[in-house]
Amino acid sequence: MTIGVLALQGDFEEHIHKLSCINVPAVEVRLPADLAGLAGLIIPGGETTTFRNLAESFGMIEPLREFGKRRALWGTCAGAIVLARDIGREQSVLGLMDISVERNAFGRQLDSFEVDLEIPALSPAQPPAFHAVFIRAPAIVRAGEGVEVLARLPDGTIVAARQKNFLATCFHPELTADDRIHRLFLEMVKASG
Ligand code: GLN
C-alpha cells in the first residue's frame, strides 16, 4: 500500500518522513501519472493560491478530482482549503468535501499557536489529547450533511472533520511526533480500497 504526498509545494517532506516512521511507503506526486496505483493521497500545508497555480499548470486539477472519487484524500491546513467546497470569496480549488473554510481565520495577531485537542475518534477510550500546531491556519466554519466533526477548539471552532473518504485538519500533524492522525488516515485508506 503506497501513499502519495502532493509535492507541488509546502511541507510534503514532513509527511513523507512521518509515513516512513510508521513503515508506510510514500512517494512524491507532481504529475497526473504519479497518481497511478496509489492507495491514498495527502495534500500538505503550504499556500493555497500557489498550490492552485501550480496544480493548474501541471494539469493536476481534474486528475485529483477523479482520484478523490475512488480514494482517500487528506488535506492539512492549506490542503484542507484545497479540498473544501467553499473557501469564501474565491473559487474553490478541488471542491470535493462539503465544508466551508475561512482562510487565515485566526488573524495576524495569532499567526501560529499550539493547543491540545480532544479527538475522540482517535481511540475509543479517553485518548490523550493531541498536541496540534496551527500556522496561519484556516477554520472550518460550516460542516455539511454527512460531515463528521472530529475536533474543535475550546471556543467551538471546528478544526478537523471527515466526510466519506475525505479528511481535513486545519493543523499540522506532520510537525509533531504523535502519529495517530496519520494512522487514522491509513484506516480510511484501507476502507476506501
Ligand atoms: N495561510 C495558508 C493559506 O491560506 C495556509 C497555511 C498553511 O498551510 N500552513 O493558504
Side-chain angles (χ1 to χ4, degrees):
M1 185 176 80
T2 303
I3 304 294
V5 182
L6 201 61
L8 295 173
Q9 60 108 215
D11 70 337
F12 55 90
E13 283 173 349
E14 287 80 354
H15 275 292
I16 289 176
H17 174 71
K18 199 68 183 279
L19 290 166
S20 76
C21 291
I22 52 175
N23 298 317
V24 176
V27 294
E28 295 180 6
V29 170
R30 291 190 179 79
L31 295 169
D34 299 337
L35 291 167
L38 296 179
L41 183 79
I42 299 175
I43 305 176
E47 211 282 321
T48 309
T49 308
T50 311
F51 171 85
R52 182 205 299 278
N53 294 338
L54 289 169
E56 278 171 359
S57 53
F58 281 67
M60 281 299 269
I61 300 285
E62 275 313 313
L64 287 171
R65 286 198 182 117
E66 281 300 312
F67 188 86
K69 287 184 185 162
R70 299 171 286 115
R71 300 285 183 211
L73 274 179
W74 173 19
T76 56
C77 203
I81 301 168
V82 166
L83 278 184
R85 187 163 297 170
D86 170 30
I87 63 170
R89 280 167 299 164
E90 299 158 82
Q91 207 196 331
S92 63
V93 184
L94 297 180
L96 289 169
M97 186 172 169
D98 191 14
I99 53 174
S100 301
V101 299
E102 184 186 336
R103 286 179 71 179
N104 302 313
F106 302 96
R108 283 178 178 276
Q109 295 306 315
L110 219 56
D111 224 20
S112 60
F113 60 98
E114 302 186 14
V115 66
D116 285 339
L117 297 173
E118 301 297 333
I119 310 184
L122 290 183
S123 116
Q126 294 212 321
F130 191 95
H131 189 71
V133 177
F134 291 78
I135 304 168
R136 292 182 291 286
I140 298 172
V141 294
R142 182 192 62 89
E145 209 172 309
V147 175
E148 179 191 1
V149 172
L150 298 180
R152 293 178 187 269
L153 294 178
D155 71 0
T157 305
I158 302 170
V159 289
R162 163 165 73 171
Q163 181 184 30
K164 297 181 298 190
N165 52 321
F166 306 128
L167 175 65
T169 54
C170 297
F171 49 94
H172 291 270
E174 72 284 9
L175 297 182
T176 47
D178 198 330
D179 57 24
R180 288 178 292 161
I181 299 188
H182 284 78
R183 291 182 187 279
L184 178 77
F185 179 62
L186 293 175
E187 292 304 316
M188 292 173 59
V189 170
K190 284 179 195 150
S192 75

